[in-house]
Amino acid sequence: MKLVAPSMLACDFGNLENEILMVNKSKADWFHIDVMDGVFVPNISFGTPIMNVLKKHSKKPLDVHLMIVNPDNYLENFSKLGANVLTVHAEACTHLHRTVQRIKNLGMKAGVALNPHTPISSLESIINEIDLVCLMSVNPGFGGQSFIENTYKKVVDLKSLINISNSNALIEIDGGVNSKNAKKLIEQGADVLVAGSFVFKSENPTNTISDLSALIN
Ligand code: DX5
Ligand code: ZN
């Protein structure tokens, strides 16, 4: 089963409760939630107040993507806010192994995100400890950017690292995902597709989610 995770960053925040209910009723598997601090990435998105609304209304797992410096200071906070998967950036963690252990000890699945320039080989010594690798297929910070084609090669390399290591890590692709690249990403080994603009800027987000899910399953 391959998963679709709509990125709430692209939803209508003036209508947040209804957007959450739409995702609840749709074929989506997870909520993807982008937390940006304006330091690790050149944009600020949202934090605790929006997370509280998501926690209150969502009926599907919350996949929280932290694009922040010093994520260690907030792991407990996001656990209390209902995160099921908590993803930190490898580039933001000096002691990534310790951070991953702490996420798991708090009862969450541990994800590690890699920026487009960060090689897959940087995960060799930790791939067996993590539940999910989020490959950034755009430079993080904004929705609506174009998919970086080199991601395909990274998916193949990551899948091979996972296989030779006997790791159970899921491969998530984040940024510029649409119906044109979804199938190839899955064929090359991706498990979870995040889609923001493609879903929420479409005429009928519910149908777009169903179509994407059908395309990859
Ligand atoms: C980018 C975020 C993505 C983004 C995806 O920094 O991590 O999750 O919301 O949005 P689209 O699908 O519009 O590229
Ligand atoms: Zn994201």
Side-chain angles (χ1 to χ4, degrees):
M1 173 81 182
K2 304 295 180 178
L3 311 182
V4 174
S7 169
M8 301 310 285
L9 185 66
C11 85
D12 175 4
F13 284 94
N15 201 10
L16 183 56
E17 188 177 335
N18 284 327
E19 297 282 57
I20 297 168
L21 298 182
M22 183 281 290
V23 175
N24 280 342
K25 286 198 211 126
S26 78
K27 289 265 161 56
D29 299 283
W30 293 353
F31 285 83
H32 184 82
I33 301 160
D34 290 306
V35 177
M36 305 178 182
D37 66 354
V39 180
F40 181 71
V41 288
N43 191 18
I44 298 173
S45 57
F46 51 76
T48 302
I50 297 284
M51 277 297 301
N52 275 324
V53 179
L54 281 153
K55 184 183 179 198
K56 182 166 173 208
H57 298 291
S58 66
K59 294 199 166 24
K60 294 179 180 179
L62 303 183
D63 171 35
V64 179
H65 177 193
L66 296 183
M67 284 160 274
I68 64 175
V69 296
N70 300 323
D72 297 274
N73 296 347
Y74 299 93
L75 304 181
E76 212 167 345
N77 181 50
F78 280 98
S79 153
K80 288 191 186 132
L81 288 168
N84 300 92
V85 181
L86 191 63
T87 296
V88 294
H89 266 264
E91 302 86 1
C93 295
T94 311
H95 301 286
L96 183 60
H97 189 279
R98 179 184 290 146
T99 305
V100 163
Q101 297 311 324
R102 283 193 56 216
I103 293 173
K104 293 197 292 188
N105 288 340
L106 286 163
M108 298 174 285
K109 300 274 185 208
V112 174
L114 296 184
N115 281 336
H117 75 278
T118 305
I120 297 301
S121 57
S122 62
L123 295 177
E124 270 170 22
S125 300
I126 199 163
I127 193 71
N128 287 100
E129 307 293 329
I130 59 192
D131 299 300
L132 174 145
V133 178
C134 174
L135 289 184
M136 292 309 303
S137 38
V138 297
N139 283 294
F142 303 92
Q145 303 181 81
S146 309
F147 179 83
I148 297 173
E149 298 282 324
N150 187 51
T151 309
Y152 293 123
K153 182 183 178 307
K154 289 183 83 175
V155 179
V156 172
D157 291 351
L158 176 57
K159 188 69 187 172
S160 130
L161 175 64
I162 288 172
N163 287 342
I164 57 171
S165 314
N166 278 323
S167 154
N168 294 318
L170 296 177
I171 301 178
E172 177 177 73
I173 310 297
D174 188 8
V177 170
N178 56 41
S179 54
K180 294 195 184 79
N181 50 33
K183 191 126 191 133
K184 185 166 172 189
L185 288 165
I186 296 294
E187 280 164 6
Q188 297 194 312
D191 302 290
V192 186
L193 299 185
V194 174
S197 313
F198 180 65
V199 167
F200 287 100
K201 309 296 180 215
S202 71
E203 222 160 89
N204 186 329
T206 308
N207 289 350
T208 304
I209 294 169
S210 308
D211 292 348
L212 188 56
S213 175
L215 184 66
I216 63 174
N217 280 295

PDB file of all heavy atoms in Angstrom, residues 79-114:
ATOM      1  N   SER A  79       5.214  15.943  20.374  1.00  0.00           N
ATOM      2  CA  SER A  79       4.611  14.698  20.818  1.00  0.00           C
ATOM      3  C   SER A  79       3.278  15.004  21.508  1.00  0.00           C
ATOM      4  O   SER A  79       2.245  14.381  21.231  1.00  0.00           O
ATOM      5  CB  SER A  79       5.607  13.992  21.739  1.00  0.00           C
ATOM      6  OG  SER A  79       4.955  13.186  22.646  1.00  0.00           O
ATOM      7  N   LYS A  80       3.272  16.020  22.351  1.00  0.00           N
ATOM      8  CA  LYS A  80       2.020  16.409  23.039  1.00  0.00           C
ATOM      9  C   LYS A  80       0.986  16.949  22.056  1.00  0.00           C
ATOM     10  O   LYS A  80      -0.215  16.854  22.290  1.00  0.00           O
ATOM     11  CB  LYS A  80       2.315  17.483  24.078  1.00  0.00           C
ATOM     12  CG  LYS A  80       3.055  16.932  25.295  1.00  0.00           C
ATOM     13  CD  LYS A  80       3.102  17.942  26.426  1.00  0.00           C
ATOM     14  CE  LYS A  80       3.961  17.426  27.569  1.00  0.00           C
ATOM     15  NZ  LYS A  80       4.930  18.430  28.048  1.00  0.00           N
ATOM     16  N   LEU A  81       1.461  17.515  20.952  1.00  0.00           N
ATOM     17  CA  LEU A  81       0.536  18.075  19.954  1.00  0.00           C
ATOM     18  C   LEU A  81       0.003  17.001  19.008  1.00  0.00           C
ATOM     19  O   LEU A  81      -0.681  17.304  18.042  1.00  0.00           O
ATOM     20  CB  LEU A  81       1.246  19.176  19.147  1.00  0.00           C
ATOM     21  CG  LEU A  81       1.508  20.477  19.914  1.00  0.00           C
ATOM     22  CD1 LEU A  81       2.455  21.376  19.137  1.00  0.00           C
ATOM     23  CD2 LEU A  81       0.199  21.206  20.202  1.00  0.00           C
ATOM     24  N   GLY A  82       0.346  15.752  19.262  1.00  0.00           N
ATOM     25  CA  GLY A  82      -0.276  14.655  18.521  1.00  0.00           C
ATOM     26  C   GLY A  82       0.465  14.161  17.297  1.00  0.00           C
ATOM     27  O   GLY A  82      -0.107  13.411  16.502  1.00  0.00           O
ATOM     28  N   ALA A  83       1.731  14.553  17.127  1.00  0.00           N
ATOM     29  CA  ALA A  83       2.474  14.060  15.955  1.00  0.00           C
ATOM     30  C   ALA A  83       2.624  12.545  16.045  1.00  0.00           C
ATOM     31  O   ALA A  83       2.982  12.011  17.098  1.00  0.00           O
ATOM     32  CB  ALA A  83       3.851  14.719  15.893  1.00  0.00           C
ATOM     33  N   ASN A  84       2.352  11.859  14.936  1.00  0.00           N
ATOM     34  CA  ASN A  84       2.568  10.406  14.869  1.00  0.00           C
ATOM     35  C   ASN A  84       3.910  10.096  14.241  1.00  0.00           C
ATOM     36  O   ASN A  84       4.608   9.177  14.665  1.00  0.00           O
ATOM     37  CB  ASN A  84       1.452   9.741  14.062  1.00  0.00           C
ATOM     38  CG  ASN A  84       0.098   9.972  14.685  1.00  0.00           C
ATOM     39  OD1 ASN A  84      -0.592  10.929  14.353  1.00  0.00           O
ATOM     40  ND2 ASN A  84      -0.276   9.130  15.630  1.00  0.00           N
ATOM     41  N   VAL A  85       4.232  10.849  13.185  1.00  0.00           N
ATOM     42  CA  VAL A  85       5.562  10.771  12.574  1.00  0.00           C
ATOM     43  C   VAL A  85       6.192  12.139  12.790  1.00  0.00           C
ATOM     44  O   VAL A  85       5.560  13.161  12.494  1.00  0.00           O
ATOM     45  CB  VAL A  85       5.472  10.497  11.048  1.00  0.00           C
ATOM     46  CG1 VAL A  85       6.863  10.388  10.440  1.00  0.00           C
ATOM     47  CG2 VAL A  85       4.635   9.260  10.762  1.00  0.00           C
ATOM     48  N   LEU A  86       7.414  12.162  13.324  1.00  0.00           N
ATOM     49  CA  LEU A  86       8.086  13.446  13.510  1.00  0.00           C
ATOM     50  C   LEU A  86       9.395  13.405  12.728  1.00  0.00           C
ATOM     51  O   LEU A  86      10.270  12.580  13.005  1.00  0.00           O
ATOM     52  CB  LEU A  86       8.338  13.735  14.989  1.00  0.00           C
ATOM     53  CG  LEU A  86       8.804  15.168  15.278  1.00  0.00           C
ATOM     54  CD1 LEU A  86       7.736  16.194  14.879  1.00  0.00           C
ATOM     55  CD2 LEU A  86       9.141  15.355  16.765  1.00  0.00           C
ATOM     56  N   THR A  87       9.491  14.302  11.741  1.00  0.00           N
ATOM     57  CA  THR A  87      10.658  14.320  10.848  1.00  0.00           C
ATOM     58  C   THR A  87      11.497  15.556  11.109  1.00  0.00           C
ATOM     59  O   THR A  87      10.986  16.677  11.116  1.00  0.00           O
ATOM     60  CB  THR A  87      10.185  14.276   9.376  1.00  0.00           C
ATOM     61  OG1 THR A  87       9.520  13.034   9.163  1.00  0.00           O
ATOM     62  CG2 THR A  87      11.353  14.393   8.409  1.00  0.00           C
ATOM     63  N   VAL A  88      12.786  15.318  11.325  1.00  0.00           N
ATOM     64  CA  VAL A  88      13.745  16.415  11.496  1.00  0.00           C
ATOM     65  C   VAL A  88      14.682  16.424  10.290  1.00  0.00           C
ATOM     66  O   VAL A  88      14.848  15.392   9.627  1.00  0.00           O
ATOM     67  CB  VAL A  88      14.582  16.241  12.794  1.00  0.00           C
ATOM     68  CG1 VAL A  88      13.698  16.356  14.021  1.00  0.00           C
ATOM     69  CG2 VAL A  88      15.340  14.905  12.801  1.00  0.00           C
ATOM     70  N   HIS A  89      15.295  17.556  10.023  1.00  0.00           N
ATOM     71  CA  HIS A  89      16.267  17.621   8.933  1.00  0.00           C
ATOM     72  C   HIS A  89      17.635  17.179   9.411  1.00  0.00           C
ATOM     73  O   HIS A  89      18.122  17.653  10.445  1.00  0.00           O
ATOM     74  CB  HIS A  89      16.331  19.036   8.353  1.00  0.00           C
ATOM     75  CG  HIS A  89      15.423  19.195   7.189  1.00  0.00           C
ATOM     76  ND1 HIS A  89      15.854  19.069   5.894  1.00  0.00           N
ATOM     77  CD2 HIS A  89      14.089  19.403   7.136  1.00  0.00           C
ATOM     78  CE1 HIS A  89      14.819  19.213   5.080  1.00  0.00           C
ATOM     79  NE2 HIS A  89      13.740  19.416   5.807  1.00  0.00           N
ATOM     80  N   ALA A  90      18.283  16.304   8.637  1.00  0.00           N
ATOM     81  CA  ALA A  90      19.641  15.880   8.961  1.00  0.00           C
ATOM     82  C   ALA A  90      20.548  17.102   9.071  1.00  0.00           C
ATOM     83  O   ALA A  90      21.421  17.163   9.947  1.00  0.00           O
ATOM     84  CB  ALA A  90      20.165  14.940   7.868  1.00  0.00           C
ATOM     85  N   GLU A  91      20.298  18.106   8.212  1.00  0.00           N
ATOM     86  CA  GLU A  91      21.166  19.291   8.172  1.00  0.00           C
ATOM     87  C   GLU A  91      21.008  20.153   9.424  1.00  0.00           C
ATOM     88  O   GLU A  91      21.828  21.033   9.680  1.00  0.00           O
ATOM     89  CB  GLU A  91      20.838  20.141   6.925  1.00  0.00           C
ATOM     90  CG  GLU A  91      20.981  19.402   5.599  1.00  0.00           C
ATOM     91  CD  GLU A  91      19.717  18.624   5.215  1.00  0.00           C
ATOM     92  OE1 GLU A  91      18.732  18.668   5.971  1.00  0.00           O
ATOM     93  OE2 GLU A  91      19.733  17.954   4.155  1.00  0.00           O
ATOM     94  N   ALA A  92      19.929  19.926  10.181  1.00  0.00           N
ATOM     95  CA  ALA A  92      19.668  20.753  11.366  1.00  0.00           C
ATOM     96  C   ALA A  92      20.075  20.052  12.664  1.00  0.00           C
ATOM     97  O   ALA A  92      19.908  20.629  13.743  1.00  0.00           O
ATOM     98  CB  ALA A  92      18.178  21.113  11.421  1.00  0.00           C
ATOM     99  N   CYS A  93      20.585  18.813  12.547  1.00  0.00           N
ATOM    100  CA  CYS A  93      20.858  18.038  13.762  1.00  0.00           C
ATOM    101  C   CYS A  93      22.338  17.691  13.870  1.00  0.00           C
ATOM    102  O   CYS A  93      22.857  16.924  13.051  1.00  0.00           O
ATOM    103  CB  CYS A  93      20.057  16.737  13.745  1.00  0.00           C
ATOM    104  SG  CYS A  93      18.289  17.003  13.799  1.00  0.00           S
ATOM    105  N   THR A  94      22.991  18.201  14.905  1.00  0.00           N
ATOM    106  CA  THR A  94      24.406  17.866  15.131  1.00  0.00           C
ATOM    107  C   THR A  94      24.528  16.436  15.637  1.00  0.00           C
ATOM    108  O   THR A  94      25.463  15.724  15.301  1.00  0.00           O
ATOM    109  CB  THR A  94      25.002  18.836  16.164  1.00  0.00           C
ATOM    110  OG1 THR A  94      24.657  20.160  15.771  1.00  0.00           O
ATOM    111  CG2 THR A  94      26.508  18.706  16.247  1.00  0.00           C
ATOM    112  N   HIS A  95      23.573  16.018  16.467  1.00  0.00           N
ATOM    113  CA  HIS A  95      23.600  14.669  17.038  1.00  0.00           C
ATOM    114  C   HIS A  95      22.337  13.938  16.596  1.00  0.00           C
ATOM    115  O   HIS A  95      21.438  13.666  17.394  1.00  0.00           O
ATOM    116  CB  HIS A  95      23.708  14.748  18.566  1.00  0.00           C
ATOM    117  CG  HIS A  95      24.936  15.480  19.007  1.00  0.00           C
ATOM    118  ND1 HIS A  95      26.194  14.928  18.920  1.00  0.00           N
ATOM    119  CD2 HIS A  95      25.092  16.737  19.467  1.00  0.00           C
ATOM    120  CE1 HIS A  95      27.082  15.818  19.342  1.00  0.00           C
ATOM    121  NE2 HIS A  95      26.444  16.920  19.680  1.00  0.00           N
ATOM    122  N   LEU A  96      22.312  13.639  15.309  1.00  0.00           N
ATOM    123  CA  LEU A  96      21.091  13.071  14.712  1.00  0.00           C
ATOM    124  C   LEU A  96      20.681  11.765  15.376  1.00  0.00           C
ATOM    125  O   LEU A  96      19.488  11.517  15.594  1.00  0.00           O
ATOM    126  CB  LEU A  96      21.332  12.873  13.205  1.00  0.00           C
ATOM    127  CG  LEU A  96      20.149  12.352  12.400  1.00  0.00           C
ATOM    128  CD1 LEU A  96      18.950  13.288  12.487  1.00  0.00           C
ATOM    129  CD2 LEU A  96      20.546  12.168  10.926  1.00  0.00           C
ATOM    130  N   HIS A  97      21.659  10.939  15.727  1.00  0.00           N
ATOM    131  CA  HIS A  97      21.336   9.655  16.337  1.00  0.00           C
ATOM    132  C   HIS A  97      20.578   9.873  17.653  1.00  0.00           C
ATOM    133  O   HIS A  97      19.549   9.237  17.909  1.00  0.00           O
ATOM    134  CB  HIS A  97      22.632   8.858  16.563  1.00  0.00           C
ATOM    135  CG  HIS A  97      22.403   7.445  16.987  1.00  0.00           C
ATOM    136  ND1 HIS A  97      22.126   7.098  18.287  1.00  0.00           N
ATOM    137  CD2 HIS A  97      22.394   6.294  16.277  1.00  0.00           C
ATOM    138  CE1 HIS A  97      21.971   5.794  18.356  1.00  0.00           C
ATOM    139  NE2 HIS A  97      22.120   5.278  17.163  1.00  0.00           N
ATOM    140  N   ARG A  98      21.066  10.789  18.453  1.00  0.00           N
ATOM    141  CA  ARG A  98      20.403  11.081  19.733  1.00  0.00           C
ATOM    142  C   ARG A  98      18.992  11.629  19.507  1.00  0.00           C
ATOM    143  O   ARG A  98      18.036  11.237  20.182  1.00  0.00           O
ATOM    144  CB  ARG A  98      21.233  12.102  20.513  1.00  0.00           C
ATOM    145  CG  ARG A  98      20.601  12.488  21.838  1.00  0.00           C
ATOM    146  CD  ARG A  98      21.400  13.579  22.541  1.00  0.00           C
ATOM    147  NE  ARG A  98      22.676  13.086  23.022  1.00  0.00           N
ATOM    148  CZ  ARG A  98      23.797  13.812  23.068  1.00  0.00           C
ATOM    149  NH1 ARG A  98      23.798  15.062  22.634  1.00  0.00           N
ATOM    150  NH2 ARG A  98      24.905  13.304  23.542  1.00  0.00           N
ATOM    151  N   THR A  99      18.859  12.507  18.537  1.00  0.00           N
ATOM    152  CA  THR A  99      17.544  13.100  18.242  1.00  0.00           C
ATOM    153  C   THR A  99      16.551  12.015  17.831  1.00  0.00           C
ATOM    154  O   THR A  99      15.406  11.983  18.307  1.00  0.00           O
ATOM    155  CB  THR A  99      17.689  14.159  17.117  1.00  0.00           C
ATOM    156  OG1 THR A  99      18.675  15.109  17.523  1.00  0.00           O
ATOM    157  CG2 THR A  99      16.376  14.862  16.845  1.00  0.00           C
ATOM    158  N   VAL A 100      17.010  11.105  16.966  1.00  0.00           N
ATOM    159  CA  VAL A 100      16.139  10.019  16.494  1.00  0.00           C
ATOM    160  C   VAL A 100      15.712   9.132  17.674  1.00  0.00           C
ATOM    161  O   VAL A 100      14.539   8.755  17.808  1.00  0.00           O
ATOM    162  CB  VAL A 100      16.870   9.209  15.392  1.00  0.00           C
ATOM    163  CG1 VAL A 100      16.235   7.851  15.160  1.00  0.00           C
ATOM    164  CG2 VAL A 100      16.901  10.015  14.091  1.00  0.00           C
ATOM    165  N   GLN A 101      16.644   8.812  18.558  1.00  0.00           N
ATOM    166  CA  GLN A 101      16.299   7.979  19.721  1.00  0.00           C
ATOM    167  C   GLN A 101      15.262   8.680  20.587  1.00  0.00           C
ATOM    168  O   GLN A 101      14.324   8.062  21.079  1.00  0.00           O
ATOM    169  CB  GLN A 101      17.543   7.660  20.579  1.00  0.00           C
ATOM    170  CG  GLN A 101      18.622   6.853  19.869  1.00  0.00           C
ATOM    171  CD  GLN A 101      18.096   5.621  19.160  1.00  0.00           C
ATOM    172  OE1 GLN A 101      17.174   4.963  19.628  1.00  0.00           O
ATOM    173  NE2 GLN A 101      18.659   5.318  18.004  1.00  0.00           N
ATOM    174  N   ARG A 102      15.437   9.977  20.763  1.00  0.00           N
ATOM    175  CA  ARG A 102      14.485  10.722  21.615  1.00  0.00           C
ATOM    176  C   ARG A 102      13.086  10.744  20.995  1.00  0.00           C
ATOM    177  O   ARG A 102      12.085  10.607  21.691  1.00  0.00           O
ATOM    178  CB  ARG A 102      14.992  12.153  21.847  1.00  0.00           C
ATOM    179  CG  ARG A 102      16.115  12.211  22.889  1.00  0.00           C
ATOM    180  CD  ARG A 102      16.382  13.634  23.345  1.00  0.00           C
ATOM    181  NE  ARG A 102      15.206  14.284  23.870  1.00  0.00           N
ATOM    182  CZ  ARG A 102      14.911  15.577  23.715  1.00  0.00           C
ATOM    183  NH1 ARG A 102      15.740  16.369  23.066  1.00  0.00           N
ATOM    184  NH2 ARG A 102      13.817  16.088  24.219  1.00  0.00           N
ATOM    185  N   ILE A 103      13.017  10.905  19.692  1.00  0.00           N
ATOM    186  CA  ILE A 103      11.703  10.899  19.018  1.00  0.00           C
ATOM    187  C   ILE A 103      11.017   9.557  19.264  1.00  0.00           C
ATOM    188  O   ILE A 103       9.836   9.486  19.625  1.00  0.00           O
ATOM    189  CB  ILE A 103      11.863  11.163  17.498  1.00  0.00           C
ATOM    190  CG1 ILE A 103      12.368  12.585  17.253  1.00  0.00           C
ATOM    191  CG2 ILE A 103      10.551  10.921  16.765  1.00  0.00           C
ATOM    192  CD1 ILE A 103      12.729  12.885  15.792  1.00  0.00           C
ATOM    193  N   LYS A 104      11.776   8.474  19.116  1.00  0.00           N
ATOM    194  CA  LYS A 104      11.179   7.141  19.291  1.00  0.00           C
ATOM    195  C   LYS A 104      10.803   6.899  20.752  1.00  0.00           C
ATOM    196  O   LYS A 104       9.751   6.319  21.039  1.00  0.00           O
ATOM    197  CB  LYS A 104      12.141   6.067  18.771  1.00  0.00           C
ATOM    198  CG  LYS A 104      12.319   6.167  17.240  1.00  0.00           C
ATOM    199  CD  LYS A 104      12.916   4.923  16.620  1.00  0.00           C
ATOM    200  CE  LYS A 104      14.353   4.715  17.021  1.00  0.00           C
ATOM    201  NZ  LYS A 104      14.977   3.601  16.265  1.00  0.00           N
ATOM    202  N   ASN A 105      11.644   7.363  21.663  1.00  0.00           N
ATOM    203  CA  ASN A 105      11.320   7.191  23.088  1.00  0.00           C
ATOM    204  C   ASN A 105      10.058   7.955  23.485  1.00  0.00           C
ATOM    205  O   ASN A 105       9.393   7.600  24.459  1.00  0.00           O
ATOM    206  CB  ASN A 105      12.490   7.642  23.971  1.00  0.00           C
ATOM    207  CG  ASN A 105      13.642   6.642  23.891  1.00  0.00           C
ATOM    208  OD1 ASN A 105      13.439   5.490  23.507  1.00  0.00           O
ATOM    209  ND2 ASN A 105      14.841   7.095  24.221  1.00  0.00           N
ATOM    210  N   LEU A 106       9.756   8.998  22.731  1.00  0.00           N
ATOM    211  CA  LEU A 106       8.525   9.763  23.009  1.00  0.00           C
ATOM    212  C   LEU A 106       7.304   9.094  22.365  1.00  0.00           C
ATOM    213  O   LEU A 106       6.195   9.612  22.424  1.00  0.00           O
ATOM    214  CB  LEU A 106       8.678  11.200  22.501  1.00  0.00           C
ATOM    215  CG  LEU A 106       9.584  12.105  23.348  1.00  0.00           C
ATOM    216  CD1 LEU A 106       9.998  13.356  22.547  1.00  0.00           C
ATOM    217  CD2 LEU A 106       8.893  12.523  24.633  1.00  0.00           C
ATOM    218  N   GLY A 107       7.520   7.951  21.698  1.00  0.00           N
ATOM    219  CA  GLY A 107       6.396   7.185  21.154  1.00  0.00           C
ATOM    220  C   GLY A 107       6.018   7.540  19.731  1.00  0.00           C
ATOM    221  O   GLY A 107       4.959   7.129  19.246  1.00  0.00           O
ATOM    222  N   MET A 108       6.862   8.316  19.056  1.00  0.00           N
ATOM    223  CA  MET A 108       6.553   8.692  17.671  1.00  0.00           C
ATOM    224  C   MET A 108       7.445   7.916  16.707  1.00  0.00           C
ATOM    225  O   MET A 108       8.485   7.377  17.093  1.00  0.00           O
ATOM    226  CB  MET A 108       6.791  10.198  17.472  1.00  0.00           C
ATOM    227  CG  MET A 108       5.893  11.065  18.348  1.00  0.00           C
ATOM    228  SD  MET A 108       6.296  12.839  18.223  1.00  0.00           S
ATOM    229  CE  MET A 108       7.808  12.925  19.197  1.00  0.00           C
ATOM    230  N   LYS A 109       7.034   7.856  15.450  1.00  0.00           N
ATOM    231  CA  LYS A 109       7.902   7.331  14.394  1.00  0.00           C
ATOM    232  C   LYS A 109       8.917   8.427  14.070  1.00  0.00           C
ATOM    233  O   LYS A 109       8.550   9.611  14.013  1.00  0.00           O
ATOM    234  CB  LYS A 109       7.100   7.025  13.122  1.00  0.00           C
ATOM    235  CG  LYS A 109       6.007   5.991  13.329  1.00  0.00           C
ATOM    236  CD  LYS A 109       6.547   4.594  13.172  1.00  0.00           C
ATOM    237  CE  LYS A 109       5.467   3.553  13.256  1.00  0.00           C
ATOM    238  NZ  LYS A 109       5.957   2.267  13.753  1.00  0.00           N
ATOM    239  N   ALA A 110      10.159   8.005  13.833  1.00  0.00           N
ATOM    240  CA  ALA A 110      11.212   8.987  13.583  1.00  0.00           C
ATOM    241  C   ALA A 110      11.514   9.104  12.100  1.00  0.00           C
ATOM    242  O   ALA A 110      11.848   8.114  11.441  1.00  0.00           O
ATOM    243  CB  ALA A 110      12.475   8.598  14.340  1.00  0.00           C
ATOM    244  N   GLY A 111      11.400  10.328  11.585  1.00  0.00           N
ATOM    245  CA  GLY A 111      11.738  10.590  10.186  1.00  0.00           C
ATOM    246  C   GLY A 111      12.955  11.498  10.099  1.00  0.00           C
ATOM    247  O   GLY A 111      13.195  12.320  10.977  1.00  0.00           O
ATOM    248  N   VAL A 112      13.725  11.310   9.013  1.00  0.00           N
ATOM    249  CA  VAL A 112      14.860  12.198   8.745  1.00  0.00           C
ATOM    250  C   VAL A 112      14.688  12.728   7.325  1.00  0.00           C
ATOM    251  O   VAL A 112      14.502  11.949   6.390  1.00  0.00           O
ATOM    252  CB  VAL A 112      16.208  11.465   8.884  1.00  0.00           C
ATOM    253  CG1 VAL A 112      17.359  12.376   8.466  1.00  0.00           C
ATOM    254  CG2 VAL A 112      16.410  10.984  10.324  1.00  0.00           C
ATOM    255  N   ALA A 113      14.719  14.058   7.183  1.00  0.00           N
ATOM    256  CA  ALA A 113      14.592  14.681   5.866  1.00  0.00           C
ATOM    257  C   ALA A 113      15.959  15.098   5.347  1.00  0.00           C
ATOM    258  O   ALA A 113      16.827  15.510   6.125  1.00  0.00           O
ATOM    259  CB  ALA A 113      13.669  15.899   5.947  1.00  0.00           C
ATOM    260  N   LEU A 114      16.127  14.960   4.033  1.00  0.00           N
ATOM    261  CA  LEU A 114      17.367  15.383   3.377  1.00  0.00           C
ATOM    262  C   LEU A 114      17.055  16.457   2.346  1.00  0.00           C
ATOM    263  O   LEU A 114      16.179  16.276   1.484  1.00  0.00           O
ATOM    264  CB  LEU A 114      18.032  14.217   2.641  1.00  0.00           C
ATOM    265  CG  LEU A 114      18.534  13.016   3.435  1.00  0.00           C
ATOM    266  CD1 LEU A 114      19.246  12.046   2.487  1.00  0.00           C
ATOM    267  CD2 LEU A 114      19.453  13.424   4.583  1.00  0.00           C
TER     268      LEU A 114
END
